[in-house]
């Protein structure tokens, strides 16, 4: 590796010699690199104390590993050794496992800052602790070499990857350097391209080292208010460069940059399809006079995909209709609604119809409930009135019968 000298004494923690019969096949993804570099950059610019330690999750299939995502770790000091917060680390790792279930990702490596010579004694406590927490003895170690950032050229990365090896029970943990490949997808390519272009136009904002230097800088800025150069380098009360974009402006620029990159990639794909179709001979499907059959090397599945793509274009971009105005000039009328707009309007009408049907059903249910309650009240009133009338008639009838009996007795007595 660049930066290693022949006079440098060998690192006792690194295993040298014959490589294993079945070496590990490691694929490093750019998203992990972006997270690591962002963490180290923030840690350096903010002058934060303590080491830089983080975890990398990926997928393992036998001897094949992928390093896909990374996150920084919360540290604590224990008996002079810097370790990770075990409770926090276990909870955060479980959260990442819940998020990345398909395909399932798990902890595969730890990253930290380190020299070119390789792992040091300070890296061992953290690695051993993580191995005990996860029960995985094959966790790798990725070292970021900050001193090589400005020296490497030709696309080389200032990182080294090591495999942890426990040769004997109770022996000291040692490492074997691994080779790796950088694997990326289309989404990661867009992200890396955006970061690279944004980094090419970035401006480093440095704070004044002391209050005196900040005061002198403000005085120098105040003397040259009439000059454009001094306006660009004006320093505010905190010692920072004035005129830095606000968070809203940064968000707007990032959004516009992402849209620009998407449009540029779309234009490239369209040009690629057009150039491919231009190389194809004329087809008998579009030219009736053509008698030349398509060549045997024609990719019919690709042509069907292109045809399917073209059939969906009118749904997104309707064509304008040319009309002749009364004054004889040619103009463009309002374009007819496209298929996607018609589908959206139909969907909107269905939603309104569904809400109206729900309201109508609710009204019918309330009316039915009201009718049932009214019927129950009417029946109760009728029963109460009937019971009242029946009770009064019964009492009157009883008295009549008693009087009748009494009169019978009297008349009987008189006859006798």
């Amino acid at each position: 590796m660049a930066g290693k000298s022949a006079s440098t004494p060998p690192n006792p923690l690194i295993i040298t010699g014959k490589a294993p019969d079945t070496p590990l096949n490691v694929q490093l993804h750019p998203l992990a690199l972006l997270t690591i570099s962002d963490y180290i950059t923030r840690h350096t610019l903010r002058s934060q104390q303590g080491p830089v330690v983080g975890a990398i999750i990926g997928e393992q299939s036998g001897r094949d590993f992928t390093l896909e995502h990374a996150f920084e770790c919360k540290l604590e000091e224990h008996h002079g050794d810097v370790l990770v917060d075990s409770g926090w680390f276990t909870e955060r790792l479980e959260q990442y496992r819940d998020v990345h279930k398909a395909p399932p990702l798990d902890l595969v490596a730890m990253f930290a800052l380190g020299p070119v010579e390789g792992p040091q004694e300070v890296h061992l406590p953290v690695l051993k602790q993580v191995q005990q927490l996860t029960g995985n003895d094959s966790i790798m170690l990725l070292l970021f070499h900050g001193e090589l950032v400005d020296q490497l050229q030709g696309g080389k990365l200032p990182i080294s990857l090591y495999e942890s090896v426990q040769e004997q029970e109770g022996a000291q943990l040692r490492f074997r350097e691994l080779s790796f490949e950088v694997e990326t997808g289309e989404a990661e390519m867009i992200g890396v391209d955006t970061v690279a272009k944004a980094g090419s136009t970035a401006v480093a904002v440095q704070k004044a080292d002391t209050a005196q230097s900040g005061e002198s800088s403000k005085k120098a800025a105040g003397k040259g208010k009439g000059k454009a150069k001094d306006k660009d380098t004006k320093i505010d009360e905190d010692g920072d460069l004035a005129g830095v974009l606000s968070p809203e402006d940064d968000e707007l620029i990032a959004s516009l940059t992402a849209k620009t990159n998407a449009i540029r990639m779309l234009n490239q794909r369209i040009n690629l399809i057009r150039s491919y179709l231009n190389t194809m001979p004329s087809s008998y499907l579009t030219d009736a006079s053509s008698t030349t059959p398509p060549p045997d090397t024609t990719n019919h599945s690709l042509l069907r995909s292109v045809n399917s793509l073209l059939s969906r274009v009118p749904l997104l971009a309707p064509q304008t209709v040319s009309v002749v105005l009364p004054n004889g000039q040619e103009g463009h009328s309002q374009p007819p609604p496209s298929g996607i707009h018609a589908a959206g309007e139909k969907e909107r009408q269905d939603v309104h119809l569904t809400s109206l049907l729900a309201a109508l059903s609710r009204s019918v249910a309330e009316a039915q409930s009201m009718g049932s309650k009214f019927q129950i009240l009417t029946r109760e009133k009728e029963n109460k009135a009937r019971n009242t009338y029946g009770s009064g008639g019964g009492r009157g009838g009883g008295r009549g019968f008693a009087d009748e009996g009494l009169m019978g007795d009297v008349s009987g007595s008189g006859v006798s």
Side-chain angles (χ1 to χ4, degrees):
M1 177 178 294
K4 292 183 179 181
S5 175
S7 59
T8 303
N11 191 343
L13 296 180
I14 295 181
I15 300 175
T16 58
K18 183 180 179 181
D21 298 334
T22 57
L24 298 181
N25 183 19
V26 183
Q27 294 181 348
L28 180 62
H29 286 252
L31 289 181
L33 290 177
L34 291 177
T35 304
I36 295 172
S37 62
D38 177 70
Y39 177 32
I40 295 175
T41 301
R42 288 187 286 107
H43 189 277
T44 304
L45 293 180
R46 295 175 182 176
S47 301
Q48 296 178 346
Q49 303 297 325
V52 174
V53 178
I56 304 176
I57 62 174
E59 186 177 3
Q60 178 182 0
S61 178
R63 303 287 289 178
D64 298 333
F65 290 83
T66 61
L67 281 62
E68 302 185 20
H69 302 279
F71 61 92
E72 55 191 86
C73 293
K74 181 180 179 181
L75 305 177
E76 60 181 5
E77 188 174 356
H78 184 71
H79 298 299
D81 295 332
V82 178
L83 303 175
V84 298
D85 189 339
S86 57
W88 179 93
F89 180 80
T90 304
E91 181 180 1
R92 180 58 57 90
L93 181 60
E94 191 63 29
Q95 292 174 352
Y96 271 91
R97 288 172 178 170
D98 293 338
V99 172
H100 301 280
K101 287 186 176 180
L105 302 184
D106 204 346
L107 182 69
V108 293
M110 300 291 294
F111 72 86
L113 286 175
V116 183
E117 290 75 17
Q120 305 297 316
E121 294 289 342
V122 294
H123 299 131
L124 297 180
V126 174
L127 196 60
K128 291 181 180 179
Q129 181 196 15
V130 173
Q131 289 179 352
Q132 293 176 357
L133 291 176
T134 59
N136 185 6
D137 296 335
S138 60
I139 295 178
M140 296 175 286
L141 177 64
L142 187 145
L143 293 183
F144 187 93
H145 311 302
E147 64 272 18
L148 297 182
V149 173
D150 298 331
Q151 302 178 8
L152 296 179
Q153 296 179 356
K156 295 182 179 179
L157 298 174
I159 61 176
S160 299
L161 188 63
Y162 297 91
E163 175 188 9
S164 58
V165 179
Q166 190 81 26
E167 295 180 337
Q168 296 179 359
E169 185 68 23
Q172 187 180 22
L173 188 66
R174 302 182 69 186
F175 300 90
R176 180 186 291 112
E177 189 170 3
L178 299 174
S179 59
F180 59 89
E181 299 177 353
V182 178
E183 181 69 19
T184 181
E186 291 187 0
E188 293 176 322
M189 290 174 61
I190 295 176
V192 173
D193 182 68
T194 302
V195 172
K197 291 182 179 179
S200 62
T201 59
V203 178
V205 179
Q206 298 179 353
K207 292 187 177 181
D209 295 334
T210 60
Q212 183 178 2
S213 61
E215 187 68 23
S216 60
S217 301
K218 287 187 288 183
K219 292 181 179 179
K223 292 181 180 179
K225 292 183 178 179
K227 297 181 181 180
K229 182 176 180 180
D230 291 338
K231 287 183 179 180
D232 294 337
T233 59
K234 185 179 178 181
I235 299 178
D236 58 11
E237 297 178 357
D238 296 333
D240 295 339
L241 289 176
V244 179
L245 296 177
S246 62
E248 292 78 8
D249 295 337
D250 290 336
E251 183 178 358
L252 178 60
I253 291 176
S255 176
L256 294 177
T257 304
K259 292 180 180 179
T260 303
N261 294 333
I263 294 174
R264 183 182 297 109
M265 178 170 289
L266 177 61
N267 189 27
Q268 294 176 355
R269 299 294 177 86
I270 293 176
N271 292 334
L272 178 62
I273 295 175
R274 183 186 293 111
S275 60
Y276 174 75
L277 294 179
N278 290 333
T279 58
M280 301 296 296
S282 59
S283 174
Y284 64 91
L285 297 177
T286 56
D287 187 4
S289 62
S290 177
T291 58
T292 305
D296 297 336
T297 58
T298 303
N299 192 342
H300 295 282
S301 60
L302 181 59
L303 293 179
R304 283 192 293 269
S305 300
V306 173
N307 187 27
S308 176
L309 176 64
L310 294 177
S311 64
R312 292 195 299 267
V313 169
L315 298 176
L316 303 176
Q319 298 180 355
T320 57
V321 180
S322 300
V323 296
V324 179
L325 300 177
N327 55 6
Q329 297 180 356
E330 183 178 358
H332 300 282
S333 66
Q334 293 293 336
S338 62
I340 191 171
H341 290 130
E345 185 65 26
K346 185 177 181 300
E347 194 74 19
R348 192 179 301 108
Q349 294 177 359
D350 292 342
V351 171
H352 289 313
L353 181 61
T354 304
S355 61
L356 290 176
L357 288 176
L360 181 60
S361 301
R362 187 164 53 252
S363 301
V364 171
E366 292 177 356
Q368 185 178 6
S369 176
M370 183 64 68
S372 301
K373 293 178 181 178
F374 180 77
Q375 185 179 5
I376 293 173
L377 290 176
T378 304
R379 188 184 302 113
E380 289 294 331
K381 288 182 179 179
E382 293 177 353
N383 293 335
K384 186 176 181 180
R386 188 181 300 111
N387 292 335
T388 304
Y389 178 75
S391 299
R395 288 193 296 270
R399 288 195 298 271
F401 293 149
D403 294 342
E404 245 181 54
L406 181 58
M407 291 301 292
D409 291 339
V410 172
S411 58
S413 300
V415 171
S416 62

